[in-house]
Amino acid sequence: MAILPDAATDRAERAQRSRAQVVAAAKAGGPDRFLTPLASIPPFDPAAYAADPGVYLSEAVPARALRDAGPAPDAPPLELNGPGLRPATSGQAVTMRVLARPGVPVSFYCGDLAKADNGLGAISVQADAAGWASATYIPEAGATDDAHISIASPVCTGVQRVTITISRAHTP
């Protein structure tokens, strides 16, 4: 599997493509896979992903964060690094990190109160050479509730969940 360049180098381009897909899908009345975590999505195609990971990673598809490999005997569990409950103030970035397999896709989705660094609720990233995948979410300014993030990989078992407990930023 090809490993993509460092996330920082292509973040702006991915964000622009992802936003454009969501806007185009909404204007066209579909496909709903870009709009809801309950959408029907095609099965993961490992060969297509290996041939061009950028195509898969450029799509912001909320439903991917709820779809794992299922009970596949050779699929490792997706392991969350750190606690499932994370405190933050509104506007403070929170990074979630999971251990998957090297080079595989991992999808993150938050439908409430926080956006990924692509400006959307959903993002798919590629695990690094050690198998770690991460995404950073920023709670909306002024938010004071919980933001719920789901994380899954189509080649790992289990869906991980993180709750960001957001408090208002204190001003001196």
Side-chain angles (χ1 to χ4, degrees):
M1 286 184 191
I3 302 294
L4 291 179
D6 183 85
T9 62
D10 67 344
R11 182 174 293 138
E13 184 179 311
R14 285 188 305 145
Q16 184 177 7
R17 282 194 310 256
S18 294
R19 277 192 217 89
Q21 288 170 340
V22 171
V23 170
K27 287 181 180 176
D32 65 347
R33 69 186 178 143
F34 295 116
L35 306 175
T36 174
L38 303 176
S40 174
I41 58 174
F44 177 67
D45 182 347
Y49 180 77
D52 190 358
V55 171
Y56 186 93
L57 299 173
S58 70
E59 294 184 338
V61 180
R64 289 179 183 164
L66 298 175
R67 307 300 194 290
D68 67 350
D74 62 338
L78 186 67
E79 298 178 34
L80 180 63
N81 181 255
L85 185 60
R86 316 245 174 130
T89 57
S90 58
Q92 176 188 7
V94 177
T95 300
M96 274 79 40
R97 187 173 171 204
V98 293
L99 182 60
R101 277 191 173 155
V104 303
V106 176
S107 296
F108 297 75
Y109 173 68
C110 180
D112 52 7
L113 302 178
K115 300 289 183 226
D117 59 8
N118 64 358
L120 301 170
I123 189 169
S124 291
V125 299
Q126 186 174 47
D128 66 18
W132 291 103
S134 62
T136 299
Y137 276 79
I138 301 174
E140 295 175 5
T144 58
D145 204 348
D146 291 342
H148 306 281
I149 296 142
S150 297
I151 311 164
S153 173
V155 298
C156 296
T157 61
V159 174
Q160 294 294 330
R161 289 183 170 71
V162 173
T163 299
I164 301 172
T165 301
I166 309 163
S167 60
R168 190 173 309 276
H170 297 288
T171 54

